[in-house]
Amino acid sequence: MSTLYLGDTVPDFQQDSSVGPIQFHQWAADSWVILFSHPADFTPVCTTELGLTGRLQEEFAKRNVKPIALSVDDADSHRSWIKDIDETQQTAIAYPIIADKDRKVAQLFDMIHPNQSTTVTVRSVFIIDPQKKLRLTFTYPLSIGRNFDEILRVIDALQTSDQHGVATPGNWRPGGDVIIPLTLQDDAAIKAKFPQGYTAPKPYLRYVSLG
């Protein structure tokens, strides 16, 4: 079992899926990826999450994000489950579900937590950038549904941070003020980067609007 840290290049793998075999890095190409795991097919909480992801596929596409799910059952089981998801959640699943029957991907991404279960994956979320770097992780207990509004929010925050070289305050949403990071201290460089000016209630707390 490996341990992944933020900033690590995520492992590549080949595995079967609901849409056929996938070579992960090749499939991801130059997109962001959200990889989220499930303990088993035909489970109630996960059914709602996969349906929600299906309904959010356009939102992910706007952000150049490819969703991909994982469950420990085989591809035929996944395809049967997708029929139930589409029916009960009023959606059409167009993204892959990895068939991880041999737990290969679960081991690579450290998804088996023995104090939860020695046989099924915990419900993890991995946000991966186009350079295949791990940028953010969440891990949820089996009984608690994931917050996909928060997943979209942190993707927006990561992309805004990368694009503008800024940080984001707590509860930030697109359009809100951002923070000039402490790594940027030169006044001339700050004025050149943010000619619109900024407010600083404390020398270390500098807010700026991106307009």
Side-chain angles (χ1 to χ4, degrees):
M1 184 178 294
S2 61
T3 299
L4 281 175
Y5 297 102
L6 297 184
D8 285 354
T9 299
V10 299
D12 195 14
F13 58 83
Q14 184 171 5
Q15 196 74 311
D16 198 11
S17 80
S18 57
V19 298
I22 283 179
Q23 188 73 42
F24 183 58
H25 282 195
Q26 182 181 30
W27 171 85
D30 60 354
S31 297
W32 289 73
V33 172
I34 169 177
L35 167 62
F36 57 112
S37 59
H38 301 273
D41 291 359
F42 303 101
T43 51
V45 175
C46 297
T47 296
T48 65
E49 293 175 329
L50 287 163
L52 181 57
T53 304
R55 295 196 298 274
L56 289 173
Q57 283 169 131
E58 288 187 8
E59 291 297 320
F60 287 121
K62 289 177 188 176
R63 295 162 171 83
N64 189 32
V65 176
K66 290 181 174 180
I68 185 168
L70 174 144
S71 178
V72 297
D73 294 303
D74 63 30
D76 286 339
S77 175
H78 290 353
R79 286 186 280 269
S80 295
W81 188 23
I82 285 170
K83 293 176 184 177
D84 282 3
I85 297 164
D86 288 350
E87 176 188 349
T88 63
Q89 306 302 306
Q90 295 81 51
T91 188
I93 301 299
Y95 57 86
I97 305 176
I98 298 164
D100 199 37
K101 198 168 182 62
D102 61 3
R103 313 299 197 271
K104 178 174 75 176
V105 181
Q107 295 289 343
L108 286 172
F109 282 78
D110 196 14
M111 296 176 183
I112 304 291
H113 292 197
N115 287 332
Q116 283 282 298
S117 171
T118 59
T119 58
V120 300
T121 57
V122 293
R123 299 172 62 255
S124 295
V125 180
F126 302 87
I127 296 178
I128 301 160
D129 70 19
Q131 287 71 49
K132 314 299 184 293
K133 302 292 186 183
L134 179 63
R135 299 297 299 276
L136 186 142
T137 63
F138 301 109
T139 299
Y140 287 73
L142 297 178
S143 59
I144 306 301
R146 285 171 269 212
N147 185 330
F148 281 79
D149 290 336
E150 172 63 2
I151 290 169
L152 287 172
R153 189 194 74 84
V154 296
I155 290 168
D156 287 334
L158 288 166
Q159 294 181 346
T160 297
S161 178
D162 286 0
Q163 181 180 353
H164 297 283
V166 296
T168 59
N171 285 348
W172 177 88
R173 292 192 176 277
D177 287 355
V178 295
I179 292 172
I180 300 172
L182 293 176
T183 51
L184 189 55
Q185 291 292 337
D186 182 77
D187 286 342
I190 293 171
K191 289 176 181 177
K193 188 174 180 65
F194 304 107
Q196 68 271 41
Y198 64 91
T199 59
K202 295 290 181 181
Y204 59 85
L205 184 59
R206 301 166 297 177
Y207 295 104
V208 64
S209 172
L210 296 177

